[in-house]
Amino acid sequence: MLFDGTFDAARALAMARRTFEIEARALTGLAARLDEGFAKAVQAVLACRGRVVVMGMGKSGHVGRKIAATLASTGTPAMFVHPGEASHGDLGMVVAGDVLLAISNSGESDELAAILPAIRRLGVHFIAMTGRPGSTLARHADTVLNSGVDEEACPLNLAPTASTTAQMALGDALAVALLDARGFKEADFARSHPGGALGRKLLMHVHDLMRSGDALPRVAPGALFGELLREMSAKGLGFAAVVDEAQRPLGIFTDGDLRRLIERGTDLRSLTAEQVMHRSPRLVRADALAVDAAGVMEQHRITSVLVVDGEGLLVGALNSNDLMRAKVI
């Protein structure tokens, strides 16, 4: 249907508010109607030794893909299988020990109905999410999640709107109840999201980012000031570590220390690294989380830390630029 060029902004806003109101009522009704069937579904998934296989057609299928992704990212192995493709071989992805979550607002989807007998023969626990508890899908299910709504937000009461919102919310509720029952923590979430900000913070360690080997600026305590400056300039980190023969850190000398000496008019030519170094430098363990190293820098208002191993020997160095490049800070 072509747009005739007439636009009523007030009506558009009114329709948007009406949509929000209808969908909010749908969710309120969903919460009031929640019963032991939801708890039974959670128990079935917790007892599952396979995967949660989610199916749905049309808009319910799009919701199903999101539910499967949410479950998988929060500790419940899950995947989406298209019911139409299941009739042509993809049902082989479903095996005994899995849990099947089939989504259909009407509960009468032809594609789902066609595979119901085969699903029952597989011996999987079958959860139906439907807006009609008396539907064909619900009658064949072991557990029914009622996602029914009084009306769609669509003014024609045809396009799936409030019903898909209810399905999505019910799927989210299932995922949240499951992650809570499993004791799912931030670190578990990070393992499923290694490329995200939380993954970088909780999975990246200091040894993943530190400068080491020839890239590490270090001198002996007796090194003359000129040698100290050459080492700092060559490695380009803005500091150099001062270490003993065993590579135990004794101190650190930074660009800031150099500026302060110059401002005081100190004769630098005859000084040694030990005489100008800042003693008791801030240290972090190589196996510490990178975010913890960032915390040390922030707490002490410094931009660099020295990295040591379990025996306290210098193995690396880390500065704030390294953390920013890795998007830890």
Side-chain angles (χ1 to χ4, degrees), residues 52 54 63-73 76-80:
V52 176
V54 185
V63 171
R65 290 181 189 277
K66 191 273 180 185
I67 291 175
T70 300
L71 290 171
S73 71
T76 300
M79 65 178 184
F80 179 83

Side-chain angles (χ1 to χ4, degrees), residues 48-53 79 93-100 123-125:
C48 175
R49 293 295 173 262
R51 294 164 298 183
V52 176
V53 180
M79 65 178 184
M93 298 180 183
V94 187
V95 299
D98 287 345
V99 168
L100 176 67
V124 300
H125 187 96

Side-chain angles (χ1 to χ4, degrees), residues 10 105 135 151 179 227 258 297:
N105 187 43
S135 63
E151 63 177 322
L179 73 85
E227 180 184 347
L258 175 60
M297 293 183 195

Side-chain angles (χ1 to χ4, degrees), residues 163-177:
S163 58
T164 49
T165 298
Q167 291 170 352
M168 191 80 76
L170 198 49
D172 287 343
L174 185 62
V176 169

Side-chain angles (χ1 to χ4, degrees), residues 242-322:
V242 182
V243 296
D244 63 18
E245 292 183 356
Q247 296 300 300
R248 197 173 304 277
L250 303 174
I252 189 171
F253 185 77
T254 70
D255 285 340
D257 295 323
L258 175 60
R259 287 195 300 273
R260 284 184 284 273
L261 288 174
I262 293 174
E263 288 169 358
R264 290 200 296 265
T266 305
D267 184 0
L268 306 176
R269 291 171 295 180
S270 61
L271 296 178
T272 65
E274 187 174 21
Q275 290 174 305
V276 298
M277 71 182 185
H278 178 77
R279 299 180 184 276
S280 303
R282 300 297 172 185
L283 308 176
V284 295
R285 287 274 297 266
D287 56 359
L289 289 172
V291 69
D292 292 336
V296 171
M297 293 183 195
E298 182 178 356
Q299 178 184 355
H300 298 286
R301 298 183 179 181
I302 56 178
T303 59
S304 305
V305 290
L306 301 181
V307 184
V308 296
D309 62 15
E311 298 178 356
L313 304 181
L314 185 71
V315 293
L318 190 67
N319 68 17
S320 56
N321 288 333
D322 299 322

